[in-house]
């Protein structure tokens, strides 16, 4: 087996290893039914008789607040919205029960995306008890009063628990600012020591896409703890709950394209994250330590709720939150960001991402032309010296040392390098690996229609037409690069090498079709168009050579 064959096999295994993690196939789950948007309506709820309305709180001096009992209770739902978000809050725990992303369509494309499963809540504050006549009750189980706010044209709402004199003992204040940003303040003075509490995002997230084959790797908890990025995939969370310790700069739960993240202010000590699986979806809670054990706290948080657009997250939030989106390996992120920017610029001129990807492939082909030209040129030279190489192998087959020396002399005389055809192609791999997350996880390509059957460039081709075409063009390209048999006088070793090379000619395209059939059609489109441009380049070079 010659060096070129060995290198080809190694490259195949590298590509196979890289993509194998994306071929897991967890059971596809269906989207939960949509709940109608609710605005300031009342919903009857069945609660313990130990709960009561917040206006029955009383505070005696520095004693803890105490609640009386009222068995007849009703939950109210209030909607806070702007042009991008509609958030439905519940007076129970002053939590969010519904998140609607107005600019994005759900699976059936008739309704907007709803992130939270039905009858679930997020941003509950747990482990923070208030004294009642029959024992402590967690604020997440209490019913708050509320009033709407309008801060400089920005919609807001404040939930509160007050004593008989109207003094507010607990407040949760929300203001919807811009670009999927919700500001939240938690203000407490109940007359008792406050040690800690937890912020819960335990609802899980809905499946917003029809294709969820890679759910176990796409759905995850992402956090920046002690300035280090941590990722807990759904696959890992399903095996056992996870706990991460350290100062949490930010943390969130995400699907492939959407997520909810909590960013505490620098004065809030969030020192632990608990992650788990809820109905095949990641869930988490953040532990907040009030080290001074004061009676009063005033903690501020920024909440991101929306699409995972790395540039928007970096511009609006900073603090490394762009890593909440999937933008590939750290050492290639600059390339991924540049590719997304370039595609965005092309889309402004031609609003069809399929056409833009074709133009993008042409641009990349022009940029890497010197590399591919050198690779193809080296391949042509190798084909020309193949007969002489076979003669040397036959002549010195009993003297490997002399044969290698004569081979090196032959390479030098004809300006040929054995690695000349592989090395330039290998140098192109970082481009492919940077483009992979840019196309596969780009929310801009979500539900992007190209033509005919390709209605979503972010999802695999449902009919496998594009991967098969890509395999055909890949075979043509390899066939053009494969040298013809040079002699009938080859020994057994040389015949075995030729047979292996022939086998690779057929196996490589088939294996790549299998791998690419599960990848986004936008990525397959790029790779196919790039191969077509390479075939055209080889054809022109051959014409000129003749």
């Amino acid at each position: 087996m010659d060096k070129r064959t060995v290198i080809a096999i190694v490259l195949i295994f590298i590509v196979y290893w890289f993509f194998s993690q994306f071929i897991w196939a967890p059971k596809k789950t269906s989207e939960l039914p949509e709940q109608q948007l609710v605005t300031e309506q009342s919903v009857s709820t069945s609660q313990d008789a130990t709960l009561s309305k917040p206006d029955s709180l009383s505070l005696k001096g520095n004693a803890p607040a105490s609640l009386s009992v009222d068995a007849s209770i009703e939950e109210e739902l209030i909607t806070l919205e702007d042009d991008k978000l509609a958030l439905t809050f519940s007076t129970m725990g002053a939590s969010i029960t519904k998140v609607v992303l107005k600019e994005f369509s759900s699976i059936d494309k008739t309704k907007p995306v709803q992130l939270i499963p039905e009858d679930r809540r997020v941003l509950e504050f747990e482990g923070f008890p208030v004294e009642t006549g029959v024992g402590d009750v967690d604020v997440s189980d209490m019913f708050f009063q509320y009033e709407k706010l309008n801060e400089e044209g920005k919609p807001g709402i404040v939930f509160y628990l007050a004593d008989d004199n109207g003094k507010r003992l607990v407040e949760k204040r929300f203001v919807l600012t811009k670009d999927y940003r919700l500001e939240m303040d938690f203000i407490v003075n109940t007359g008792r020591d406050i040690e800690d509490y937890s912020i819960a995002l335990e609802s899980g997230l809905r499946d917003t896409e029809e294709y969820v084959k890679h759910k176990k790797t796409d759905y995850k908890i992402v956090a920046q703890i002690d300035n280090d990025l941590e990722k807990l995939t759904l696959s890992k969370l399903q095996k056992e709950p996870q706990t991460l310790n350290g100062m949490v700069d930010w943390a969130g739960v995400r699907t492939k394209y959407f997520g909810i993240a909590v960013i505490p202010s620098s004065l809030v000590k969030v020192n632990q994250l608990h992650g788990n699986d809820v109905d095949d979806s990641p869930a988490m809670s953040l532990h907040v330590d009030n080290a001074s054990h004061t009676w009063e706290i005033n903690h501020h948080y920024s909440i991101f709720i929306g699409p995972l657009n790395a540039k928007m997250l970096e511009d609006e939030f900073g603090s490394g939150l762009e890593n909440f989106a999937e933008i590939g390996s750290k050492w290639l992120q600059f390339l991924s960001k540049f590719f997304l920017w370039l595609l965005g610029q092309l889309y402004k001129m031609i609003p069809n991402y399929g056409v833009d990807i074709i133009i993008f492939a042409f641009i990349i082909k022009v940029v890497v032309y010197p590399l591919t030209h050198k690779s193809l040129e080296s391949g042509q030279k190798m084909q020309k010296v193949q007969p002489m190489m076979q003669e040397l192998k036959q002549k010195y087959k009993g003297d490997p040392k002399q044969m290698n020396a004569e081979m090196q002399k032959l390479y030098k005389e004809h300006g040929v390098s054995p690695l000349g055809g592989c090395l330039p192609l290998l140098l192109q791999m970082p481009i492919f690996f940077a483009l992979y997350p840019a196309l596969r996880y780009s929310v801009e390509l979500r539900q992007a229609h190209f033509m005919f059957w390709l209605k979503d460039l972010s999802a695999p081709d449902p009919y496998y037409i594009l991967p098969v075409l890509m395999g055909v063009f890949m075979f043509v390209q390899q066939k053009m690069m494969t040298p013809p048999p040079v002699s009938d006088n080859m020994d057994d070793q040389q015949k075995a090498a030729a047979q292996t090379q022939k086998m690779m000619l057929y196996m490589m395209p088939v294996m790549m079709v299998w791998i690419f059939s599960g990848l986004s059609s936008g990525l397959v489109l790029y790779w196919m168009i790039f191969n077509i441009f390479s075939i055209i380049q080889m054809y022109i070079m051959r014409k000129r050579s003749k």
Side-chain angles (χ1 to χ4, degrees):
M1 186 179 295
D2 60 15
K3 290 184 178 179
R4 293 183 64 197
T5 304
V6 172
I7 292 172
I9 293 174
V10 170
L11 287 176
I12 288 174
F13 279 105
I14 289 174
V15 174
Y16 174 78
W17 173 83
F18 177 80
F19 287 108
S20 63
Q21 61 178 306
F22 299 103
I23 308 174
W24 300 334
K27 184 179 179 181
K28 179 177 176 181
T29 57
S30 59
E31 185 185 42
L32 293 174
E34 295 284 346
Q35 180 184 354
Q36 295 297 318
L37 191 64
V38 182
T39 305
E40 296 189 34
Q41 62 176 326
S42 296
V43 180
S44 296
T45 56
S46 152
Q47 304 294 336
D48 268 339
T50 58
L51 297 182
S52 61
K53 292 184 179 179
D55 55 9
S56 61
L57 278 168
S58 62
L59 185 66
K60 300 178 181 179
N62 289 331
S66 180
L67 289 166
S68 58
V69 175
D70 186 347
S72 93
I73 245 32
E74 284 189 340
E75 178 186 15
E76 289 188 64
L77 302 178
I78 309 97
T79 297
L80 198 65
E81 61 184 308
D82 59 11
D83 58 338
K84 295 182 178 180
L85 276 178
L87 306 177
T88 300
F89 293 83
S90 168
T91 52
M92 182 178 180
S95 55
I96 297 177
T97 62
K98 187 174 183 180
V99 172
V100 175
L101 305 177
K102 295 182 177 181
E103 295 184 324
F104 298 90
S105 299
S106 58
I107 294 173
D108 59 12
K109 298 184 181 179
T110 61
K111 292 171 278 190
V113 163
Q114 216 287 68
L115 266 188
I116 301 176
E118 194 173 2
D119 299 325
R120 298 289 178 83
R121 298 184 291 167
V122 294
L123 294 183
E124 295 178 283
F125 282 57
E126 299 176 338
F128 180 75
V130 174
E131 190 175 272
T132 70
V134 290
D136 286 352
V137 174
D138 201 300
V139 293
S140 63
D141 296 323
M142 298 178 69
F143 289 82
F144 285 66
Q145 292 177 287
Y146 71 92
E147 62 182 31
K148 286 197 169 184
L149 307 173
N150 191 315
E151 297 191 356
E152 300 178 354
K154 299 170 184 175
I157 190 170
V158 57
F159 294 92
Y160 61 92
L161 303 175
D163 64 11
D164 293 334
N165 298 319
K167 180 180 177 180
R168 296 185 180 184
L169 308 176
V170 180
E171 281 191 22
K172 288 178 74 173
R173 180 184 295 264
F174 300 91
V175 177
L176 194 55
T177 58
K178 62 174 184 175
D179 291 327
Y180 306 100
R181 185 178 187 132
L182 180 70
E183 301 295 342
M184 179 177 70
D185 293 286
F186 186 50
I187 305 167
V188 181
N189 181 4
T190 58
R192 64 189 298 174
D193 289 346
I194 303 167
E195 297 182 4
D196 53 20
Y197 62 90
S198 294
I199 304 173
L201 276 74
E202 294 281 0
S203 66
L205 299 173
R206 284 179 183 243
D207 292 333
T208 60
E209 314 305 313
E210 183 176 2
Y211 186 83
V212 290
K213 182 179 179 181
H214 305 306
K215 181 175 180 178
K216 286 191 174 183
T217 53
D218 289 341
Y219 287 41
K220 63 189 71 173
I221 294 172
V222 186
Q224 184 172 292
I225 300 178
D226 293 331
N227 292 319
D228 287 330
L229 192 65
E230 301 282 355
K231 296 183 179 182
L232 301 174
T233 62
L234 177 59
S235 176
K236 188 172 185 177
L237 294 170
Q238 286 178 334
K239 293 176 182 177
E240 60 179 346
Q242 303 289 321
T243 299
L244 301 176
N245 295 300
M247 286 299 296
V248 178
D249 303 315
W250 55 264
V253 292
R254 55 159 290 176
T255 64
K256 183 179 180 181
Y257 295 116
F258 306 103
I260 302 175
V262 177
I263 307 102
S265 71
S266 58
L267 299 178
V268 181
K269 186 180 180 182
V270 181
N271 64 345
Q272 197 172 71
L273 182 154
H274 298 279
N276 59 285
D277 159 49
V278 173
D279 296 335
D280 288 332
S281 184
M284 73 173 192
S285 64
L286 299 173
H287 178 266
V288 183
D289 181 26
N290 185 40
S292 59
H293 292 189
T294 57
W295 288 0
E296 300 181 35
I297 60 172
N298 188 339
H299 290 173
H300 178 78
Y301 301 86
S302 294
I303 313 296
F304 164 75
I305 306 173
L308 299 172
N309 181 304
K311 188 176 187 309
M312 183 264 290
L313 291 171
E314 184 176 15
D315 292 345
E316 296 298 326
F317 292 89
S319 301
L321 195 64
E322 66 272 13
N323 291 298
F324 193 32
E326 192 65 56
I327 48 180
S329 301
K330 190 173 182 179
W331 66 286
L332 285 175
Q333 285 183 3
F334 75 98
L335 262 183
S336 298
K337 292 178 182 178
F338 172 73
F339 291 156
L340 286 172
W341 173 85
L342 182 55
L343 279 171
Q345 298 304 306
L346 291 172
Y347 187 78
K348 290 178 182 178
M349 296 183 287
I350 305 173
N352 184 307
Y353 273 113
V355 177
D356 297 332
I357 288 172
I358 293 173
I359 297 173
F360 176 82
F362 176 76
I363 294 172
I364 296 299
K365 186 63 184 176
V366 171
V367 171
V368 302
Y369 176 82
L371 289 175
T372 54
H373 182 79
K374 185 177 180 181
S375 173
L376 296 174
E377 192 177 56
S378 178
Q380 287 183 342
K381 290 180 180 179
M382 285 294 291
Q383 289 185 22
K384 290 179 181 179
V385 301
Q386 278 289 329
M388 290 176 275
M389 290 172 60
Q390 293 298 334
E391 289 177 7
L392 290 175
K393 289 179 180 179
Q394 191 70 25
K395 184 177 180 180
Y396 298 103
K397 61 181 180 181
D399 189 353
K401 186 175 180 181
Q402 184 63 31
M403 182 180 68
N404 288 333
E406 293 295 328
M407 284 285 193
Q408 294 299 322
K409 184 178 178 181
L410 179 67
Y411 294 151
K412 188 174 182 180
E413 287 177 357
H414 291 82
V416 176
S417 171
L419 297 178
C422 295
L423 187 58
L425 293 175
L426 190 61
L427 293 175
Q428 294 178 51
M429 295 308 290
I431 294 176
F432 179 81
F433 291 148
L435 191 61
Y436 176 83
L439 293 181
R440 185 173 187 269
Y441 292 100
S442 172
V443 71
E444 289 83 3
L445 264 67
R446 180 182 181 267
Q447 297 183 351
H449 182 266
F450 174 33
M451 59 184 292
F452 306 127
W453 76 98
L454 293 175
K455 298 180 180 179
D456 186 353
L457 288 172
S458 69
D461 185 338
Y463 305 110
Y464 307 107
I465 297 173
L466 213 55
V468 170
L469 286 175
M470 183 214 68
V472 170
F473 287 115
M474 189 173 183
F475 173 81
V476 172
Q477 182 184 3
Q478 286 190 218
K479 186 72 173 176
M480 293 176 72
M481 295 175 65
T482 303
V486 295
S487 175
D488 294 330
N489 298 322
M490 294 187 294
D491 59 24
D492 292 341
Q493 184 179 1
Q494 292 165 351
K495 288 179 180 179
Q499 187 64 29
T500 302
Q501 191 174 44
K502 185 178 180 179
M503 182 182 65
M504 294 298 297
L505 173 65
Y506 293 95
M507 283 186 59
M508 183 69 170
V510 172
M511 191 188 75
M512 294 302 285
V513 168
W514 175 61
I515 292 173
F516 274 71
S517 63
L519 302 181
S520 65
S521 52
L523 187 68
V524 182
L525 176 65
Y526 164 80
W527 197 248
M528 183 187 75
I529 296 299
F530 193 88
N531 284 343
I532 292 174
F533 288 145
S534 297
I535 291 170
I536 295 172
Q537 182 183 3
M538 291 172 67
Y539 178 78
I540 294 172
M541 287 182 65
R542 283 192 173 187
K543 281 286 187 181
R544 289 178 179 175
S545 177
K546 289 181 181 179

